[in-house]
């Protein structure tokens, strides 16, 4: 009735080998993001699809999981198979004690 189920991954399930794709806006990214994450704002995705790997696990993250779920659905429709939505987004990332850094390299915060 609502279309295909969106694959989801929890923060503890994300390994160092996972490609973490942060789809938040520039100001959110600058305030605080996961070290090693790759920034690609949601609205830029269609023009930059080639930047998202197809040969490894991709976990898509936003602030709380809404935008990233939309991106996962879009990627699935466009041929990606190893893609999941990060449940709870950056809020859960920070709550789990995972590091958050600002663009200046200092400790960051989630907007």
């Amino acid at each position: 009735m609502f279309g295909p189920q969106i694959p989801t991954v929890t923060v503890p399930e994300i390994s160092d080998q996972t490609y973490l794709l942060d789809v938040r806006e520039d100001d959110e990214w600058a305030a605080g993001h996961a070290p090693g994450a790759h920034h690609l704002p949601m609205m830029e995705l269609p023009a930059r699809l080639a930047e998202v790997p197809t040969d490894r696990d991709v976990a898509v993250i936003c602030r709380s999981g809404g935008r990233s779920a939309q991106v996962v659905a879009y990627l699935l429709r466009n041929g990606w198979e190893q893609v999941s939505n990060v449940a709870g987004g950056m809020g859960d990332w920070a709550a789990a004690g995972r590091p958050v850094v600002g663009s200046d390299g200092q400790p960051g915060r989630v907007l």
Side-chain angles (χ1 to χ4, degrees), residues 58-106:
V58 176
V60 184
I61 196 166
C62 66
R63 183 176 51 82
S64 62
R67 287 174 283 179
S68 53
Q70 293 176 48
V71 169
V72 168
Y74 181 83
L75 291 171
L76 288 169
R77 286 192 307 271
N78 282 278
W80 272 255
E81 296 175 0
Q82 297 173 257
V83 61
S84 299
N85 185 32
V86 178
M90 284 299 296
D92 278 14
W93 181 273
R98 293 281 189 106
V100 177
V101 297
S103 290
D104 59 2
Q106 297 299 312

Side-chain angles (χ1 to χ4, degrees), residues 26 40-49:
D26 291 338
L40 200 169
M42 179 178 171
M43 298 310 291
E44 295 179 22
L45 181 68
R48 297 173 57 188
L49 266 179

